[in-house]
Amino acid sequence: MVAGILSRGERFLVCQRRGDGAFPCKWEFPGGKIEPGEDAGTALRRELREELDVTVESAWEVFRHAHAYDDGTRVELAFFEVRAYGGEPRNRVFRRIAWVSAHELEGLDFLEGDLPLIHELRNGGLEGLSQRKGLSL
């Protein structure tokens, strides 16, 4: 799984899932599954184009971890700081999207797999994560 961290100043773009799918009404960072034949960068670009109508131009992997959900599903999550993108994010698939501060993240009902990232953002911000240089796109 891949997810993009888009920021404007001290605010992050987060998305609320629709009520009729898996994990209804939970908040998340935009992204999704890596399809067969894709690498993480290709998947991130495809997902953000489909979900937000933006074109990822530059991104950097800043956080990765594995998470096991209560139903036994295990996922490997790779979070990318999206440093440059084309277009203005617009909601194409979510219940809603919002730009929120790191402090506000904790007040939203996030997917459990995103909580370790939120903890890191609250403690060191995106700048702290960006020092953990990972895969560049």
Side-chain angles (χ1 to χ4, degrees):
M1 303 282 293
V2 294
I5 305 167
L6 284 75
S7 62
R8 286 187 177 159
E10 299 296 316
R11 302 179 86 68
F12 302 98
L13 182 67
V14 294
C15 307
Q16 186 179 35
R17 290 172 166 248
R18 299 169 71 120
D20 57 356
F23 304 104
C25 301
K26 291 282 192 177
W27 287 87
E28 66 181 349
F29 290 93
K33 294 180 182 176
I34 299 173
E35 299 293 339
E38 286 184 325
D39 60 22
T42 302
L44 181 69
R45 287 181 181 98
R46 176 184 50 76
E47 288 285 348
L48 295 189
R49 186 178 56 253
E50 291 172 0
E51 295 178 351
L52 300 171
D53 201 24
V54 297
T55 303
V56 174
E57 297 168 358
S58 172
W60 196 261
E61 185 179 328
V62 293
F63 190 73
R64 180 182 287 261
H65 79 101
H67 181 76
Y69 285 93
D70 290 339
D71 68 359
T73 303
R74 289 190 53 79
V75 293
E76 177 80 19
L77 298 159
F79 294 91
F80 290 82
E81 174 190 0
V82 179
R83 294 185 172 179
Y85 59 89
E88 179 63 25
R90 68 181 183 97
N91 184 1
R92 296 186 69 190
V93 299
F94 296 103
R95 183 176 188 175
R96 64 186 252 213
I97 64 173
W99 292 94
V100 300
S101 68
H103 177 74
E104 293 170 303
L105 291 171
E106 291 182 336
L108 299 174
D109 186 17
F110 261 87
L111 288 171
E112 290 176 17
D114 287 3
L115 295 179
L117 172 68
I118 291 169
H119 176 76
E120 293 290 330
L121 290 172
R122 282 282 292 140
N123 288 329
L126 191 53
E127 186 173 300
L129 284 174
S130 294
Q131 294 174 6
R132 301 179 185 184
K133 306 245 183 246
L135 176 65
S136 176
L137 306 179

